[in-house]
Structures are given as structure tokens and as C-alpha cells.
Amino acid sequence: PEPGRCAHFVLRKRRFCRMIPAAGRRFCGEHGHEEEQNDRKRIPCPLDPKHTVYEDQLQKHLKKCNSREKPKPVYFVQDINAGLKDVAEIPEKQVPLSSLSIEELQNLIIKLKKASNGLELHLKEQILSHQALQEALNDPKNGESAFKHLKQQASILGNMEKLHLLGPGRCFVEFGAGRGKLSHWVDVALQNVESVQFLLVERATTRFKVDGKHKRRDSIFERLQVDIQHLCLNKVPLLEKKKLPVVGIGKHLCGAATDLALRCLVESYTTCCDGEDEEPAPKRSRAAQTEVAPHRSAGNENTTEDHKPVAGIVIALCCHHKCDWTHYVGREFFKSVGLGPVEFHYFQRMSSWATCGMRETTSKASTSEDSEDQTDDTEEHEQTLSRTESGSDTLQGTLSVEERKEIGCLCKRLIDHGRIEYLQQQGYKAALQYYTESAVSLENVLLTAVPSPSLIPEPTI
């Protein structure tokens, strides 16, 4: 062992424990029983078996254990954004794609193409940039991975600016915030703007956060450690106090998290805040041909009834294969085209073909049982599915790589179209566009939404 470190050898890690023992002791508190001669027994902690505790001190330990259940914050409302309440509609566990016969798979593809007929499948390309990131984009110290993320963040900000969402008197809510880099760049873009707030929503504790870079006193940053499924924005003290219009943002918001975030914004928050869903929004301040997100100045904080509280939504979509029928906001659309939970299950699994392509070069990286759970600092969530999960045995000799890729893209667009229709029904003008090149990210579709122009009265003279 290293000098001053615990003498216990950790077999699993093939090294000595690195904890510092008390003065005069060879072992740390966790492994101190190895040098004690008494009969005191250490047992796994019932809250977290990864660490142990003396049996005779269990009750004392449970009161201060870091793994104990903490009091729920005021904005925690159980399953408020979960979606499906009818237990009868919740689908039973489906068989994997690999268990389907060729005929069953072909029938699924026929249903997919029939449901997609008439939909806008060719998205426009809207790859933009923003001056706030120009210095970082031109910095040669940034590696290839960092450069790709910067290009995506720059385009997201560019699209936000095009929709006039970058302005004063806003609260930006970043869903799946992680390290908080997207909020950081929005803050940089608004460095000379007053009355700006940021809420960073992330269910897990995060290392290497960039929150420390936010030194401007006139912008407020707050982290909400909560699952989006249980988040009631209406009860967040920061929003209750100032009641600024909200802009929901996210970069690669994975699978069902997108649906939870959409419902969080346009149902649980909008309905609670307005009381009346169809109240008119404030007047436009720019040309009528461009969608303008409504906002109030800091001096009009109490006039909540004259606007839709969500000024806009900008989310980079990701991981359709992790969507869930229970949480999906487009269930009514699927039903309207004769589809249900069974088809949705297979389509969301098939959507992975758009990014993995079932190529031999990617299948080798997918053979590990936990390949989907492995993450790195790419933050792209572009994991591939195993050959069995993707149904490659059934597909062998049936569909080419390009055909599988085309079907995967079709599944993604169908799922996304359900989200667009949901937002339209809620009074928003929603759109999908490619916001970056596929060489930068295979998950390169951006969902944007602003209150429908029909709800924004024309300016009076």
C-alpha cells in the first residue's frame, strides 16, 4: 500500500484501498475490522450494500447514511408527467424482433409505410451558428469530439435566435442538463441581457459541471435533481417568484425523456399556470412573417393571464429506441393511423437501424451484454443494439444495409410526427429540421416549437 493509505487489498480493483486511515491505524474505517481482535461484526448497509457498517451501530448509521431517502422537494409530484394512466392500455412485454418471422416483419414494414404515407419525411436543413461560440470553435486546443459538440451547440443557439427565443425576461429550463454546457452557452450569448434565469434539470448527480463558470450576478442558475417524470415546474420557487416565460431546451434528450419534458412544459406547467389553456399571448414585436416567442419585461411579472407561459421549445432528439408507449405523447396519432402499443414497440426497436445500420463493423462493438449501458464523454447516446435485439437473424438476406437504414429513419420520423401533432393540438407551431451534419452527429434532428401565430394578436397602430 502507499504510505498513509489503507492496507486492505481490493480484489475487484486489483489495488490497495486508497482511503486514509486514522492516526496509528493500518486500515480505514471501512476495513478496520481486519485489524481489530474484538467480536464486533460488520454487515452491509441495508440502504446501500456497497458499504458496510458495524452491526451494533446500524441505527445510528441509518440516520446519517448518504444513501438514505431524502425529503422530496416541493416541485416533486409523483408521476405528474408520466402520461398513460389507464392500466388496461399499458402493453404487455413484447417478444424481441429476432423472434419474428420474415412474414411478420414484412407486415410490420407494410404498416409502417402505410402510416407514413403523406407525412413530411424530407426535413429541411437548418444548420446555423452563433457568434457566442465562434472563439471556442476557432480554438485549436479543442479536439475533434469537443469541436463536434460546439458545432451542435452553436446550431441550437442559432435556431433559438432565429425563433427570437434568446432575449431578456426568460427562464431557460435545460432538461437532461448533465454538465450544463448548453445553458452555459446560452448564458454567454445573453451576457449583456437582464433578467435571465436558468433551471438545470438532471436526475443524477453530475461530475465536472460547468456551473462555476457562471459568474454574472444578473443571471440566476439553479439545479433541480429530479426525474422529469415527477417535475412540476409550476411549483419551482424560482418560477413562482418571478413568473418569467419559460424556454425549454435540451441537447440529445434521450428517448422517453423527450416525451416527459414535452408533457412537463405544455400540460403540467401551462395548465397549472394559465388556468385557461387558450388565453391570448402578447403582441408581436417583429415582422408578421417570422414566428416570435412572447415575453414580458421584468416589470410585468404579475400579468400571467396574457400569455402562454412557455415561450418556446428547442430539443435535439435522440435514442428513439428508448422511447416508451406509456410516456409517449403521440399515442393518439398512432391510434389515428391504425397503430397501437405492439407496433410502437417494434418501430422504436427498428428505429435503431437508422444509426447502427446493422453493419459488421458496429456489431463487434455491440456484443457485450451491457453495451447500451456504457457511456463516455461523447454524450451522444449513439449506442448500437446487439444483433439479437435488432433482429439481424431474421433480416439476414432479406434487407440490405441501406434498406434497414431507410426503415429506421422512417420509424424515427413516424415517432417524431406524433410529437409534432401533440404540440399542434396544444396550440404550438412545431417543426423538425436537421440542425447539424450527420458526420457531426447521427442524431441530428432538432424539434422546435413556439406558440401558434394564431394565438398571437397582430400589433395595433
Side-chain angles (χ1 to χ4, degrees), residues 9 100 174 262 284 416 454:
F9 187 78
L100 297 178
E174 183 179 358
L262 293 178
R284 286 202 270 187
D416 289 340
S454 62

Side-chain angles (χ1 to χ4, degrees), residues 67-299:
S67 298
R68 70 190 184 281
E69 185 175 359
K70 298 174 178 62
K72 295 289 190 294
V74 293
Y75 46 79
F76 181 98
V77 178
Q78 186 73 37
D79 293 329
I80 187 171
N81 304 312
L84 194 58
K85 300 293 192 298
D86 187 355
V87 179
E89 270 198 67
I90 297 176
E92 299 178 2
K93 189 173 180 63
Q94 306 292 339
V95 297
L97 280 172
S98 56
S99 300
L100 297 178
S101 65
I102 293 178
E103 291 74 21
E104 289 173 320
L105 190 62
Q106 288 175 336
N107 286 335
L108 274 175
I109 294 173
I110 291 171
K111 285 184 177 182
L112 172 66
K113 292 182 176 179
K114 182 179 178 181
S116 304
N117 187 32
L119 301 185
E120 181 56 57
L121 302 176
H122 301 288
L123 308 184
K124 66 178 179 179
E125 196 172 82
Q126 196 154 281
I127 302 173
L128 306 176
S129 190
H130 195 279
Q131 59 183 7
L133 290 95
Q134 289 309 306
E135 184 178 346
L137 284 167
N138 295 328
D139 189 349
K141 293 180 181 178
N142 287 318
E144 182 182 355
S145 177
F147 181 71
K148 287 182 177 181
H149 289 296
L150 289 168
K151 288 194 71 174
Q152 293 172 67
Q153 289 152 351
S155 185
I156 291 174
L157 262 66
N159 277 275
M160 291 175 68
E161 187 172 52
K162 186 179 178 65
L163 294 172
H164 306 289
L165 295 175
L166 293 178
R170 306 278 168 83
C171 180
F172 296 89
V173 182
E174 183 179 358
F175 294 93
R179 295 171 62 187
K181 283 192 171 182
L182 184 55
S183 291
H184 166 70
W185 288 115
V186 173
D187 184 45
V188 172
L190 299 175
Q191 56 184 335
N192 298 318
V193 174
E194 297 180 353
S195 189
V196 178
Q197 301 174 352
F198 293 89
L199 291 175
L200 281 65
V201 182
E202 179 59 64
R203 65 181 177 182
T205 54
T206 308
R207 300 176 66 194
F208 310 118
K209 297 185 286 288
V210 297
D211 300 27
K213 295 183 179 181
H214 312 134
K215 298 178 181 179
R216 291 196 303 119
R217 294 184 180 180
D218 53 344
S219 63
I220 302 171
F221 277 79
E222 182 178 324
R223 277 192 174 262
L224 308 180
Q225 188 175 338
V226 62
D227 194 308
I228 305 171
Q229 182 171 331
H230 313 302
L231 172 61
C232 181
L233 284 176
N234 184 42
K235 295 187 177 182
V236 176
L238 191 65
L239 285 174
E240 275 189 315
K241 183 180 178 181
K242 290 198 174 182
K243 297 187 181 348
L244 296 178
V246 162
V247 178
I249 60 176
K251 176 174 176 285
H252 294 295
L253 196 54
C254 200
T258 293
D259 299 297
L260 296 173
L262 293 178
R263 193 175 284 109
C264 176
L265 288 164
V266 304
E267 283 190 55
S268 66
Y269 181 56
T270 303
T271 304
C272 289
C273 286
D274 274 357
E276 298 181 42
D277 290 340
E278 299 299 325
E279 286 292 330
K283 302 172 184 178
R284 286 202 270 187
S285 59
R286 292 181 182 264
Q289 66 267 22
T290 307
E291 306 92 53
V292 179
H295 72 277
R296 298 191 315 279
S297 64

